[in-house]
PDB file of all heavy atoms in Angstrom:
ATOM      1  N   VAL N 357      88.478  61.212 143.846  1.00 96.00           N
ATOM      2  CA  VAL N 357      88.448  60.089 143.004  1.00 96.00           C
ATOM      3  C   VAL N 357      89.807  59.418 142.896  1.00 96.00           C
ATOM      4  O   VAL N 357      90.718  60.119 142.639  1.00 96.00           O
ATOM      5  CB  VAL N 357      88.020  60.475 141.512  1.00 96.00           C
ATOM      6  CG1 VAL N 357      88.010  59.233 140.603  1.00 96.00           C
ATOM      7  CG2 VAL N 357      86.644  61.048 141.527  1.00 96.00           C
ATOM      8  N   ARG N 358      89.928  58.199 143.321  1.00 96.00           N
ATOM      9  CA  ARG N 358      91.220  57.593 143.384  1.00 96.00           C
ATOM     10  C   ARG N 358      91.222  56.136 142.897  1.00 96.00           C
ATOM     11  O   ARG N 358      90.113  55.464 143.052  1.00 96.00           O
ATOM     12  CB  ARG N 358      91.785  57.738 144.841  1.00 96.00           C
ATOM     13  CG  ARG N 358      90.800  57.164 145.832  1.00 96.00           C
ATOM     14  CD  ARG N 358      91.376  57.452 147.307  1.00 96.00           C
ATOM     15  NE  ARG N 358      90.420  56.842 148.264  1.00 96.00           N
ATOM     16  CZ  ARG N 358      89.517  57.679 148.950  1.00 96.00           C
ATOM     17  NH1 ARG N 358      89.583  58.960 148.815  1.00 96.00           N
ATOM     18  NH2 ARG N 358      88.692  57.102 149.815  1.00 96.00           N
ATOM     19  N   GLY N 359      92.264  55.637 142.482  1.00 96.00           N
ATOM     20  CA  GLY N 359      92.296  54.235 142.036  1.00 96.00           C
ATOM     21  C   GLY N 359      93.386  53.942 141.001  1.00 96.00           C
ATOM     22  O   GLY N 359      94.112  54.859 140.598  1.00 96.00           O
ATOM     23  N   ARG N 360      93.390  52.735 140.552  1.00 96.00           N
ATOM     24  CA  ARG N 360      94.261  52.338 139.489  1.00 96.00           C
ATOM     25  C   ARG N 360      93.612  51.248 138.599  1.00 96.00           C
ATOM     26  O   ARG N 360      92.859  50.375 139.205  1.00 96.00           O
ATOM     27  CB  ARG N 360      95.601  51.773 140.003  1.00 96.00           C
ATOM     28  CG  ARG N 360      96.682  52.861 140.148  1.00 96.00           C
ATOM     29  CD  ARG N 360      98.031  52.280 140.541  1.00 96.00           C
ATOM     30  NE  ARG N 360      99.069  53.250 140.491  1.00 96.00           N
ATOM     31  CZ  ARG N 360     100.145  53.279 141.240  1.00 96.00           C
ATOM     32  NH1 ARG N 360     100.305  52.237 142.044  1.00 96.00           N
ATOM     33  NH2 ARG N 360     101.055  54.200 141.068  1.00 96.00           N
ATOM     34  N   GLY N 361      93.797  51.290 137.374  1.00 96.00           N
ATOM     35  CA  GLY N 361      93.110  50.267 136.491  1.00 96.00           C
ATOM     36  C   GLY N 361      91.585  50.379 136.701  1.00 96.00           C
ATOM     37  O   GLY N 361      91.021  51.430 136.929  1.00 96.00           O
ATOM     38  N   LEU N 362      90.988  49.169 136.576  1.00 98.00           N
ATOM     39  CA  LEU N 362      89.516  49.058 136.731  1.00 98.00           C
ATOM     40  C   LEU N 362      89.188  48.898 138.269  1.00 98.00           C
ATOM     41  O   LEU N 362      88.481  47.989 138.643  1.00 98.00           O
ATOM     42  CB  LEU N 362      88.875  47.974 135.909  1.00 98.00           C
ATOM     43  CG  LEU N 362      88.833  48.344 134.446  1.00 98.00           C
ATOM     44  CD1 LEU N 362      88.416  47.105 133.571  1.00 98.00           C
ATOM     45  CD2 LEU N 362      87.825  49.479 134.161  1.00 98.00           C
ATOM     46  N   TRP N 363      89.685  49.683 139.120  1.00 97.00           N
ATOM     47  CA  TRP N 363      89.530  49.715 140.522  1.00 97.00           C
ATOM     48  C   TRP N 363      89.510  51.147 141.050  1.00 97.00           C
ATOM     49  O   TRP N 363      90.629  51.668 141.310  1.00 97.00           O
ATOM     50  CB  TRP N 363      90.533  48.867 141.206  1.00 97.00           C
ATOM     51  CG  TRP N 363      90.179  48.273 142.578  1.00 97.00           C
ATOM     52  CD1 TRP N 363      88.940  48.013 143.019  1.00 97.00           C
ATOM     53  CD2 TRP N 363      91.082  47.977 143.569  1.00 97.00           C
ATOM     54  NE1 TRP N 363      88.971  47.562 144.304  1.00 97.00           N
ATOM     55  CE2 TRP N 363      90.301  47.423 144.667  1.00 97.00           C
ATOM     56  CE3 TRP N 363      92.494  47.978 143.742  1.00 97.00           C
ATOM     57  CZ2 TRP N 363      90.796  47.021 145.901  1.00 97.00           C
ATOM     58  CZ3 TRP N 363      93.009  47.548 144.984  1.00 97.00           C
ATOM     59  CH2 TRP N 363      92.228  47.094 146.016  1.00 97.00           C
ATOM     60  N   VAL N 364      88.389  51.657 141.294  1.00 98.00           N
ATOM     61  CA  VAL N 364      88.341  53.153 141.625  1.00 98.00           C
ATOM     62  C   VAL N 364      87.333  53.386 142.654  1.00 98.00           C
ATOM     63  O   VAL N 364      86.243  52.811 142.758  1.00 98.00           O
ATOM     64  CB  VAL N 364      87.815  53.949 140.336  1.00 98.00           C
ATOM     65  CG1 VAL N 364      87.842  55.517 140.632  1.00 98.00           C
ATOM     66  CG2 VAL N 364      88.852  53.730 139.168  1.00 98.00           C
ATOM     67  N   GLY N 365      87.734  54.229 143.591  1.00 97.00           N
ATOM     68  CA  GLY N 365      86.794  54.673 144.652  1.00 97.00           C
ATOM     69  C   GLY N 365      86.427  56.144 144.444  1.00 97.00           C
ATOM     70  O   GLY N 365      87.244  57.000 144.210  1.00 97.00           O
ATOM     71  N   VAL N 366      85.152  56.438 144.572  1.00 97.00           N
ATOM     72  CA  VAL N 366      84.656  57.818 144.520  1.00 97.00           C
ATOM     73  C   VAL N 366      84.184  58.146 145.850  1.00 97.00           C
ATOM     74  O   VAL N 366      83.136  57.593 146.356  1.00 97.00           O
ATOM     75  CB  VAL N 366      83.524  57.908 143.482  1.00 97.00           C
ATOM     76  CG1 VAL N 366      82.949  59.375 143.492  1.00 97.00           C
ATOM     77  CG2 VAL N 366      84.028  57.600 142.063  1.00 97.00           C
TER      78      VAL N 366
END
Side-chain angles (χ1 to χ4, degrees):
V357 176
R358 53 184 179 257
R360 270 187 171 149
L362 283 173
W363 200 29
V364 181
V366 177

